[in-house]
Amino acid sequence: MSNEDEFYDAVTGLDSDESYEGVSEASFKDAQPFDCSSHRNNGSVPHKNGIKKHRTALPAPMFSRNTVSVWSILKKCIGLELSKITMPIAFNEPLSFLQRMTEYMEHTYLINRACSLSDSIERMQAVAAFAVSAVASQWDRTGKPFNPLLGETYELVREEQGFRLISEQVSHHPPVSAFHAEGLAGDFVFHGSIYPKLKFWGKSVEAEPKGTITLEIIKHKEAYTWSNPYCCVHNIILGKLWIEQYGTVEIVNHRTGDKCVLNFKPCGMFGKELHKVEGYIQDKNKKKHCVIYGKWTECMWSVDPQAYETHKKTDKKGDHKKHKNVREELHRSENDEADNMPEVQETVSVVPGSTLLWRIDSRPAHSSRMYNFTTFAMSLNELEPGMEAILAPTDCRFRPDIRAMENGNIDEASKEKERLEEKQRSARKERAKNDEEWSTRWFHLSTNPHSGNQDWIYNGDYFNRNYKDLPDIY
């Protein structure tokens, strides 16, 4: 196994968080409601015979990771490059990264809302809420998804939510995953490519987001582009894993010039900023129309900028005494074995006059026994009757290692994972021997017409179902 193979396998997708507090009912008393009709059933459209049902649990509960120590692996590698570290399968979750990426679509109702609004600032509010909701599924997900094999694909068609999606692993070095989703009514297109750049910082791993995400709203002839925030996973070596996301996310409406700037705040010394997101929407003349605030683990709100600043000044008055006590409690040496996650200070303080843009859905009661999956994630690897005759043979639902892990057979999963990786290496060596280049099937490298950046663009052919000459990767 090459260093690059092992490096990617060691750290891609390790993301976790350990806190969530629901917003109290009292905090909503001054809030303006939004139309929740599309939020019920997660924005799904009823079939004539009712809502289509998907599975809500996995075939088997997750394995305990308590018997596997990351430190027991790392201590054998002292003095070696970190790229030589390989994580055992016990730290995986039974999804491919292509499926994990599909979780962006869990809150498609926010796109549908943006399509229906006539005001560009209100559309930007809905798009900003969607951008934040897309990273919300990472909360408390301590398992890493399986690395996609080169040429691996994943499709998802959800008639009840009004979209279909196709993704493909288009590159292995560097690892790049491309996706394309479109509304079944022809009202939107959502596409992008993800290739995070990873850095080790001693006790943590930081993922720098690479790649442009684009949302096109057809009715308004608009295109919005943005990149995801940085993600930092703490306690890679010792202690309990926890995650924070931070950095500035700029969402640009390329037709109107409107811009939304979102600041995903780092935890900070006292932990008060943990999970918080704060930003604003401005027009092409740089006039601020509203402030966006909340937590990516809970909810997002919008309010008039002046009302927000007034509330913020009032809120700061009691902070000085609080900080003195918190400083004494949290002070510790930098040489401690683990970076304990700060205690969550309080839930979102709702500014009077705010409008709720998005609120996270509750996870099923058995989620903690099933890799902390959301209800949406539970269904992503489901192989429904009739699918085998429709799906491409490269679809990751057919991956035997993921299927074995999902079914509770971790020994078989580990063996299959090693077999698939060896098969991929052998195929790469054979191509090199014959001086052959790998050719992607459903995406091609081009220029994003809106951002001007290099991007992987869908060729539009997948749903014609012509699977001739697809590689045998499983």
Side-chain angles (χ1 to χ4, degrees):
M1 181 180 288
S2 71
N3 288 352
E4 289 181 336
D5 285 333
E6 294 175 334
F7 175 71
Y8 184 49
D9 186 60
V11 294
T12 299
L14 270 174
D15 39 18
S16 165
D17 174 59
E18 295 168 18
S19 70
Y20 172 73
E21 293 184 355
V23 182
S24 65
E25 291 301 316
S27 68
F28 292 102
K29 64 182 179 180
D30 294 314
Q32 298 172 2
F34 69 94
D35 180 6
C36 288
S37 59
S38 65
H39 184 236
R40 299 186 194 103
N41 301 322
N42 198 28
S44 60
V45 179
H47 286 194
K48 291 182 179 180
N49 59 346
I51 302 297
K52 183 175 181 180
K53 299 293 184 181
H54 301 282
R55 72 179 188 186
T56 57
L58 300 179
M62 65 183 289
F63 291 89
S64 172
R65 298 186 181 119
N66 295 334
T67 57
V68 183
S69 167
V70 179
W71 174 240
S72 67
I73 300 166
L74 294 182
K75 68 182 182 182
K76 299 175 183 177
C77 303
I78 294 174
L80 300 177
E81 294 180 18
L82 289 176
S83 59
K84 295 183 179 296
I85 303 167
T86 303
M87 301 295 289
I89 200 170
F91 286 95
N92 282 82
E93 63 178 23
L95 288 177
S96 166
F97 182 71
L98 297 183
Q99 293 166 313
R100 183 68 172 268
M101 193 167 56
T102 304
E103 293 184 55
Y104 288 165
M105 303 304 296
E106 180 170 358
H107 304 280
T108 308
Y109 71 90
L110 293 168
I111 299 180
N112 297 332
R113 185 193 304 165
C115 293
S116 70
L117 294 169
S118 58
D119 182 77
S120 68
I121 299 299
E122 291 181 355
R123 287 197 295 275
M124 180 63 88
Q125 289 177 339
V127 173
F130 175 74
V132 175
S133 75
V135 299
S137 66
Q138 297 190 41
W139 159 60
D140 217 18
R141 294 280 284 277
T142 58
K144 65 177 289 292
F146 283 70
N147 302 325
L149 301 168
L150 186 60
E152 183 175 312
T153 61
Y154 181 72
E155 76 162 86
L156 187 67
V157 179
R158 285 290 167 92
E159 294 181 6
E160 68 273 23
Q161 288 181 267
F163 76 87
R164 65 183 186 182
L165 174 144
I166 174 62
S167 58
E168 179 183 5
Q169 190 69 8
V170 293
S171 174
H172 191 63
H173 298 310
V176 182
S177 306
F179 70 90
H180 175 96
E182 56 194 26
L184 296 179
D187 47 353
F188 73 86
V189 175
F190 177 57
H191 57 94
S193 50
I194 308 296
Y195 44 107
K197 184 178 179 181
L198 302 163
K199 296 179 181 178
F200 279 94
W201 297 106
K203 293 176 284 186
S204 63
V205 170
E206 180 185 70
E208 177 186 354
K210 291 285 186 180
T212 301
I213 295 174
T214 303
L215 172 64
E216 300 178 29
I217 298 181
I218 309 302
K219 176 182 177 181
H220 300 287
K221 298 179 180 178
E222 290 178 339
Y224 301 78
T225 60
W226 69 91
S227 294
N228 283 331
Y230 284 75
C231 175
C232 186
V233 185
H234 294 271
N235 295 339
I236 285 294
I237 298 177
L238 294 173
K240 200 156 189 176
L241 294 170
W242 63 278
I243 185 176
E244 62 175 329
Q245 302 197 78
Y246 48 80
T248 301
V249 173
E250 286 194 0
I251 307 172
V252 178
N253 182 331
H254 291 270
R255 184 181 72 84
T256 65
D258 297 340
K259 180 188 291 187
C260 178
V261 180
L262 295 173
N263 179 19
F264 284 71
K265 297 191 174 185
C267 172
M269 184 180 295
F270 307 114
K272 188 177 180 183
E273 305 300 310
L274 187 64
H275 304 154
K276 285 189 177 181
V277 182
E278 182 183 297
Y280 57 87
I281 295 175
Q282 66 179 30
D283 60 26
K284 64 180 179 180
N285 297 317
K286 297 186 177 181
K287 177 185 176 182
K288 291 186 180 179
H289 287 259
C290 60
V291 169
I292 307 288
Y293 69 96
K295 288 187 177 183
W296 62 267
T297 55
E298 294 184 22
C299 54
M300 293 302 295
W301 301 81
S302 175
V303 72
D304 177 77
Q306 189 172 351
Y308 186 79
E309 290 303 319
T310 301
H311 179 81
K312 200 171 181 181
K313 289 176 183 177
T314 305
D315 208 34
K316 281 183 177 179
K317 289 182 179 179
D319 278 0
H320 180 71
K321 290 182 180 179
K322 278 186 192 177
H323 280 185
K324 184 177 179 182
N325 293 334
V326 173
R327 185 181 296 111
E328 292 172 356
E329 291 175 11
L330 294 183
H331 180 69
R332 65 183 186 276
S333 168
E334 292 184 356
N335 293 323
D336 282 354
E337 289 185 341
D339 293 328
N340 295 324
M341 190 183 88
E343 190 174 332
V344 176
Q345 299 298 304
E346 74 273 336
T347 190
V348 177
S349 176
V350 181
V351 180
S354 295
T355 299
L356 179 64
L357 300 178
W358 163 78
R359 193 191 311 173
I360 198 168
D361 292 325
S362 299
R363 293 186 180 179
H366 54 275
S367 175
S368 63
R369 302 192 303 276
M370 296 188 173
Y371 306 91
N372 289 308
F373 279 6
T374 63
T375 301
F376 186 77
M378 294 278 188
S379 67
L380 293 179
N381 201 46
E382 182 179 14
L383 195 57
E384 299 175 13
M387 274 188 171
E388 293 178 344
I390 297 174
L391 297 175
T394 51
D395 194 284
C396 48
R397 292 179 183 88
F398 298 129
R399 278 191 62 159
D401 51 352
I402 296 178
R403 185 64 60 190
M405 187 175 195
E406 178 182 273
N407 290 331
N409 192 337
I410 196 167
D411 291 333
E412 181 184 349
S414 184
K415 291 177 183 177
E416 285 293 339
K417 180 173 178 286
E418 291 178 10
R419 181 184 67 80
L420 292 176
E421 290 170 348
E422 181 55 40
K423 184 173 183 176
Q424 179 173 239
R425 286 190 291 273
S426 297
R428 185 168 63 246
K429 290 177 182 177
E430 189 66 21
R431 287 195 303 273
K433 179 181 175 182
N434 298 326
D435 199 24
E436 296 177 358
E437 292 289 333
W438 173 263
S439 296
T440 55
R441 182 63 182 269
W442 312 114
F443 293 80
H444 63 277
L445 191 60
S446 185
T447 300
N448 186 304
H450 310 292
S451 68
N453 298 327
Q454 193 177 63
D455 203 355
W456 287 89
I457 307 298
Y458 176 53
N459 64 19
D461 294 337
Y462 177 83
F463 290 100
N464 294 333
R465 305 293 181 188
N466 179 9
Y467 301 144
K468 184 180 179 182
D469 299 327
L470 285 180
D472 175 15
I473 59 176
Y474 302 143

